[in-house]
Amino acid sequence: FIMDYGWTIVTTASKGSWQRGKPEGTDFQGTQSNADADVIGDYGLSAYVTGNGGGQAGDDDVDNGYTILRSPLFNLSQYNDPHISFYRWFFNDGGSGNPNDTFQVTLSNGFDTMVVYKVDANDADQSQWKHVDLRVKDFMFPAINMRIEFKVEDSAPGHLVEGGVDLFVVVDSLSTEDTTGIAEKGLQNVLFKAYPNPFTSEVMVDLANLHTSCDLEMINSLGQKVFSTRINQTAAVLRFGGELAEGIYFLRLKAADGSSQTVRLLKTR
């Protein structure tokens, strides 16, 4: 969430709506309530969190209703076995009586809508970033108009409740990319390195471990090829200037011996 890809927010709560930014931590009786940082290893410092005003635990948590974080539509119709991966934060405590609030994830394909993940105050992994992986075909068929929603709700009587989402990724489990952005196919060693990452206009490619010619291609987040070249040396500089928009790209190497590797890169201004 270093960049704004058009996620939207629907809220009935009086405060604590989803916000994108650097998380401002809060504490309740020695326990972290709102996250104080995004997921370690993620690009940038931003995540989506419910309320981000800092201060005391009750100053900007979700109150008297719900807040929904809604993705833009995304197309999974050409994926073989798509998985949706993300990290979530959940905290629920305080108030009067037993905490009874929830963090719920809903998935839709334009035909079916289903709750695919839900946690409440009994969750053992509160106050930490917890990785979640969902296989889409376990719930519905992958379609053109997919959408996911993250809902945090404060149910009466009120309690402290906070949620967070970060490092949201959609991958095809049968592709060569994985959730880290670096993948290998039939390899024991990394074939190439690309840096700096993030980059602005140039990418240095180190091919010292490769002993054959190769093709390099750049794929954008929509799966479109935006650049390709043949390389026969051990190093190269790829210059893009201003023709590439900001966003996530995949630099894919295909060697003459059939091996391949993909590196995920972030293009910034």
Side-chain angles (χ1 to χ4, degrees), residues 76-97:
L76 299 184
S77 62
Q78 300 302 310
Y79 283 55
N80 292 299
D81 189 16
H83 284 240
I84 295 173
S85 166
F86 57 90
Y87 283 78
R88 61 83 174 163
W89 179 282
F90 181 67
F91 172 82
N92 191 201
D93 204 343
S96 58

Side-chain angles (χ1 to χ4, degrees), residues 12-25:
T12 66
S14 58
K15 60 186 179 70
S17 295
W18 286 104
Q19 297 181 40
R20 184 175 66 91
K22 181 183 181 297
E24 298 292 336

Side-chain angles (χ1 to χ4, degrees), residues 13-250:
S14 58
K15 60 186 179 70
S17 295
W18 286 104
Q19 297 181 40
R20 184 175 66 91
K22 181 183 181 297
E24 298 292 336
T26 55
D27 178 276
F28 177 70
Q29 297 181 355
T31 300
Q32 191 83 34
S33 49
N34 198 57
D36 61 358
D38 72 340
V39 174
I40 296 174
D42 187 21
Y43 291 122
L45 302 174
S46 295
Y48 268 102
V49 291
T50 55
N52 202 29
Q56 301 300 311
D59 289 349
D60 203 16
D61 71 315
V62 182
D63 269 347
N64 304 313
Y66 62 78
T67 182
I68 294 174
L69 175 63
R70 179 176 292 161
S71 77
L73 294 175
F74 52 97
N75 182 0
L76 299 184
S77 62
Q78 300 302 310
Y79 283 55
N80 292 299
D81 189 16
H83 284 240
I84 295 173
S85 166
F86 57 90
Y87 283 78
R88 61 83 174 163
W89 179 282
F90 181 67
F91 172 82
N92 191 201
D93 204 343
S96 58
N98 294 325
N100 60 343
D101 303 326
T102 55
F103 179 109
Q104 176 176 292
V105 182
T106 302
L107 184 65
S108 172
N109 62 2
F111 302 93
D112 299 309
T113 300
M114 183 177 297
V115 175
V116 294
Y117 181 81
K118 186 174 182 178
V119 292
D120 57 25
N122 296 314
D123 175 54
D125 295 306
Q126 292 197 49
S127 299
Q128 61 181 295
W129 287 111
K130 174 71 174 178
H131 183 251
V132 178
D133 180 85
L134 303 172
R135 181 176 183 260
V136 174
K137 286 185 176 180
D138 287 342
F139 306 99
M140 61 191 64
F141 67 88
I144 295 175
N145 294 319
M146 306 293 299
R147 191 190 298 277
I148 195 167
E149 295 184 350
F150 299 91
K151 179 181 181 181
V152 177
E153 183 166 11
D154 178 43
S155 301
H159 301 86
L160 296 173
V161 58
E162 297 277 16
V165 177
D166 199 20
L167 198 55
F168 178 86
V169 181
V170 180
V171 297
D172 194 332
S173 66
L174 300 184
S175 74
T176 58
E177 289 88 23
D178 65 9
T179 56
T180 67
I182 301 176
E184 302 173 20
K185 183 178 181 182
L187 302 175
Q188 296 299 317
N189 300 301
V190 174
L191 290 180
F192 80 107
K193 299 177 182 178
Y195 56 90
N197 191 15
F199 73 98
T200 54
S201 60
E202 295 184 348
V203 176
M204 304 289 294
V205 179
D206 180 352
L207 299 153
N209 292 332
L210 190 67
H211 305 290
T212 182
S213 62
C214 68
D215 293 313
L216 279 175
E217 58 185 23
M218 186 83 87
I219 308 297
N220 65 18
S221 58
L222 299 177
Q224 301 166 328
K225 185 188 298 185
V226 297
F227 171 84
S228 63
T229 187
R230 170 64 64 89
I231 294 181
N232 295 294
Q233 63 264 28
T234 59
V237 179
L238 308 181
R239 295 184 172 88
F240 299 102
E243 67 264 25
L244 289 185
E246 292 181 274
I248 299 293
Y249 291 86
F250 298 93

